[in-house]
Amino acid sequence: MRNYLRFGDAYSFCLDDDKALRAVIQRYCPLPWMPMDGFGQRGGYRQLRRMYGPPKHGEGKEEQTVTRGLFLRADADMNLKTLALIWRRVMGVLCGRYPAWQLDSFTCIDEETDPEGSYTSREFMQWLDAEPYILFARAFGYSGEAVRETVCDYEDYQRAACRCAVLCVDGGYFEIYCKDENVLEALHADAELRALCDRFEYVTDENDGRTTFCI
């Protein structure tokens, strides 16, 4: 059992997918349990708040899991066309929100390409159109002017002025960290982007295996 919530005199439990535990609770707990679709995904707590209102002061306790970003793995074929499309879909959303970008640690198939430096979002998208085959990359998005910052780990990223970070490893593995939840939700809802990937999931403070932002 991950989350424990209390609303008035009723208790609601957010359970992992454990059929045995559910059966025991349904048998011995006298409360009328209501199935809630997608409760194990993002939004379950909001659904409870809409139904019952916020907990009274001093009642209940929510164990929050912080969402850091998204992890994407390209479809199994890993062809260059698919990788280019993933970059365009991801950056199409992010560049629409963040007008300035700082690029570093880029490695492309064309070894003479050196994109490192500051770009506007329009310049970045134009560069992607001209050189879409990227093997390794770090890109940081800013709501204001882009600045060069030292970002070695997640703690550095939290303190930095950048609003998002895009990390690409081995061409087809993407980690997108973003401080704006609505931007992550827009990426997560992109059906065409999801179709290009064989793995697509939220990165949280519980499952984030990245210890540094090095690539």
Side-chain angles (χ1 to χ4, degrees):
M1 186 160 51
R2 183 165 36 189
N3 293 323
Y4 164 85
L5 305 169
R6 180 178 177 183
F7 288 86
D9 295 326
Y11 292 83
S12 299
F13 295 90
C14 173
L15 304 175
D16 287 333
D17 191 14
D18 188 327
K19 293 182 180 179
L21 184 57
R22 287 179 184 274
V24 171
I25 290 176
Q26 289 170 354
R27 180 175 179 180
Y28 294 104
C29 182
L31 292 177
W33 292 91
M34 178 180 298
M36 302 180 69
D37 294 337
F39 189 83
Q41 303 171 5
R42 292 172 57 80
Y45 181 61
R46 295 177 191 168
Q47 188 175 352
L48 282 173
R49 287 178 66 91
R50 286 196 298 269
M51 293 173 61
Y52 301 107
K56 296 178 181 179
H57 180 69
E59 290 188 345
K61 181 179 180 181
E62 180 195 9
E63 295 178 4
Q64 286 190 324
T65 298
V66 176
T67 300
R68 297 183 175 187
L70 287 170
F71 174 78
L72 284 64
R73 183 173 66 192
D75 201 354
D77 58 9
M78 293 280 285
N79 63 63
L80 298 180
K81 182 178 180 180
T82 298
L83 300 181
L85 288 173
I86 291 175
W87 269 106
R88 289 193 183 97
R89 298 299 302 183
V90 168
M91 299 312 303
V93 172
L94 296 180
C95 284
R97 178 63 183 265
Y98 307 113
W101 289 83
Q102 183 72 37
L103 282 57
D104 68 27
S105 304
F106 267 67
T107 302
C108 306
I109 290 181
D110 180 1
E111 295 182 354
E112 296 182 0
T113 299
D114 184 12
E116 297 183 12
S118 298
Y119 289 75
T120 65
S121 58
R122 182 176 180 180
E123 290 170 340
F124 192 3
M125 292 300 291
Q126 288 175 338
W127 178 82
L128 283 177
D129 289 337
E131 179 53 64
Y133 304 136
I134 302 164
L135 299 176
F136 295 87
R138 297 200 321 168
F140 299 93
Y142 295 82
S143 56
E145 183 179 355
V147 296
R148 182 173 289 278
E149 300 180 283
T150 300
V151 181
C152 297
D153 53 29
Y154 184 72
E155 286 68 31
D156 287 340
Y157 161 75
Q158 287 183 301
R159 293 189 292 265
C162 63
R163 299 302 302 169
C164 71
V166 180
L167 312 179
C168 177
V169 179
D170 289 338
Y173 297 83
F174 298 82
E175 288 162 286
I176 304 159
Y177 292 85
C178 189
K179 298 175 182 177
D180 299 304
E181 185 176 352
N182 61 333
V183 177
L184 285 177
E185 290 175 349
L187 285 168
H188 192 268
D190 189 328
E192 292 187 35
L193 178 58
R194 296 176 71 95
L196 295 169
C197 304
D198 67 1
R199 187 174 170 189
F200 195 105
E201 62 191 37
Y202 279 112
V203 175
T204 71
D205 54 358
E206 291 183 349
N207 68 8
D208 190 0
R210 177 174 284 279
T211 57
T212 76
F213 271 37
C214 297
I215 56 172

